[in-house]
Amino acid sequence: MDLQILLAVAAGAAGASAFFIGSSRAHLTRWFPHSRQPKKPKGLVEVKKVKNPHPDWQPGQKLPHPFDSNHRLELDPAQEGAGLYPFVISSVVPRPIAFISSLSKEGVGNLSPYSYFGVMSHDPPYVTIGTCATSGRPNRMKDSQQNILETGEFTLNMMSEWFLEAANHTCGNYDRGVNEVELAGLTPVPSVRVKPPRIDEAAVQLECKLRHTYDVKNTKEEVTATIIIGEVVLIHVLEAVTGKTGHGHIYVEFDKYAPVSRLGGNTYARITETYDLPRPGKEWQERDALVAPAK
Ligand SMILES: Cc1cc2nc3c(=O)[nH]c(=O)nc-3n(C[C@H](O)[C@H](O)[C@H](O)COP(=O)(O)O)c2cc1C
């Protein structure tokens, strides 16, 4: 290529890039519609809608089982004792995680994750948490439990991926009196109806009052866990993660929420795919009756 052609090509390329660089955002978004979308905030997870596992399934149809269902082990809790721990935490999955903030009667803060946790109702919401005795020391309760029993109050902060490492750090076996909120670098914010603070990093914060406890005893009559039942008396939710139903009720959009769940061992899980299945209507009852008439 002689020098003149080379210079012309170089000048053309430079002109084209100058044109692109100088283009207004309006030009860019017309050609590349994706650049019009607002940037996703950091710490969020891409959630894809996918097909359900068996889109062609019809009621009554047997689905293929991937394993031989005749070979099962029987585990007797009375025999297994504390050895059931790996089985329980790996089989009842995924579990949501309650990040519990409590205060001792002297006012010292405490923060710890609990995945023996569930919500049992919504009008009003009641939550349950299972606090296990400190490992190898039955009858020795965890600090969160002692605080909740002493004060009757706690806040339950839901876990999102953007602060997971800090939250995980709070579960160390620290001495009573150590404030895990400060240790992990999390941010306490005052609650309205209870004394223990909420955790600012959490998108959903539930102010709770203790309503009931139930001690779980092993075969030796030792208290190995306590089930704490609390009533949610006030809810705080980040507006940015909410949507509204057709009836105007608030719900949480989980692609903005990045919820984290607990599996067995030290494993956490994130939701990256979801699928919808409508609840079957009454018409399927008639259809079922046609497929397998009731005797
Ligand atoms: C994700 C996760 C879930 C946990 N779930 C529970 C649980 O459900 N019950 C429990 O007793 N301990 C659970 N732990 C352990 C406690 O968080 C840990 O023992 C903590 O030190 C208790 O602190 P506390 O004595 O200050 O309350 C969990 C730990 C992690 C990391």
Side-chain angles (χ1 to χ4, degrees):
M1 205 186 286
D2 76 21
L3 188 63
Q4 265 177 340
I5 299 175
L6 197 66
L7 285 175
V9 170
S17 40
F19 173 75
F20 271 106
I21 291 164
S23 285
S24 68
R25 193 168 165 77
H27 277 103
L28 281 174
T29 52
R30 198 172 329 126
W31 293 331
F32 307 106
H34 291 305
S35 62
R36 218 181 293 144
Q37 291 165 3
K39 267 200 172 159
K40 213 174 213 229
K42 267 195 177 162
L44 290 194
V45 175
E46 193 78 39
V47 184
K48 272 192 270 164
K49 267 265 182 271
V50 294
K51 275 193 175 164
N52 50 301
H54 311 97
D56 302 325
W57 181 82
Q58 291 294 317
Q61 189 186 337
K62 284 252 182 277
L63 287 166
H65 196 309
F67 299 105
D68 179 354
S69 63
N70 292 316
H71 288 85
R72 290 186 192 270
L73 308 173
E74 268 182 6
L75 303 173
D76 178 353
Q79 300 292 320
E80 303 290 329
L84 264 187
Y85 176 65
F87 173 78
V88 169
I89 64 164
S90 59
S91 59
V92 183
V93 287
R95 293 183 304 285
I97 306 162
F99 201 26
I100 304 289
S101 157
S102 61
L103 290 176
S104 68
K105 60 177 183 311
E106 293 81 26
V108 178
N110 189 284
L111 186 64
S112 296
Y114 285 86
S115 73
Y116 284 173
F117 154 57
V119 63
M120 299 295 142
S121 61
H122 58 270
D123 181 20
Y126 266 62
V127 291
T128 55
I129 307 150
T131 60
C132 302
T134 307
S135 43
R137 297 172 68 184
N139 301 317
R140 164 78 166 73
M141 57 177 115
K142 293 216 165 129
D143 297 342
S144 305
Q145 180 189 337
Q146 192 171 332
N147 291 350
I148 294 170
L149 296 189
E150 279 175 9
T151 65
E153 296 183 338
F154 60 99
T155 72
L156 195 160
N157 304 270
M158 294 300 295
M159 202 80 104
S160 285
E161 204 153 288
W162 55 79
F163 63 99
L164 182 71
E165 288 78 3
N168 182 69
H169 194 69
T170 64
C171 85
N173 196 7
Y174 308 121
D175 291 341
R176 186 164 166 79
V178 170
N179 187 338
E180 290 95 351
V181 188
E182 285 162 23
L183 197 69
L186 291 158
T187 321
V189 281
S191 296
V192 178
R193 297 198 183 156
V194 298
K195 287 212 181 74
R198 299 170 282 139
I199 300 305
D200 195 41
E201 283 75 5
V204 172
Q205 305 151 337
L206 310 176
E207 295 191 18
C208 302
K209 295 220 170 170
L210 176 66
R211 293 295 179 234
H212 195 68
T213 60
Y214 180 87
D215 283 342
V216 175
K217 291 182 185 162
N218 65 10
T219 49
K220 293 179 220 152
E221 284 296 299
E222 299 162 329
V223 175
T224 54
T226 299
I227 300 169
I228 290 172
I229 302 180
E231 179 179 346
V232 178
V233 293
L234 193 65
I235 297 169
H236 305 260
V237 54
L238 259 190
E239 203 175 351
V241 306
T242 59
K244 268 195 184 162
T245 66
H247 295 290
H249 299 303
I250 301 284
Y251 71 95
V252 172
E253 293 186 334
F254 54 76
D255 53 340
K256 297 175 188 155
Y257 190 33
V260 184
S261 61
R262 187 65 156 170
L263 306 178
N266 283 333
T267 307
Y268 289 96
R270 68 168 62 113
I271 297 170
T272 54
E273 293 187 347
T274 63
Y275 44 84
D276 295 339
L277 270 183
R279 295 185 191 201
K282 255 272 162 76
E283 68 276 13
W284 285 111
Q285 186 182 312
E286 282 136 39
R287 192 192 152 104
D288 281 354
L290 290 177
V291 175
K295 285 180 188 156

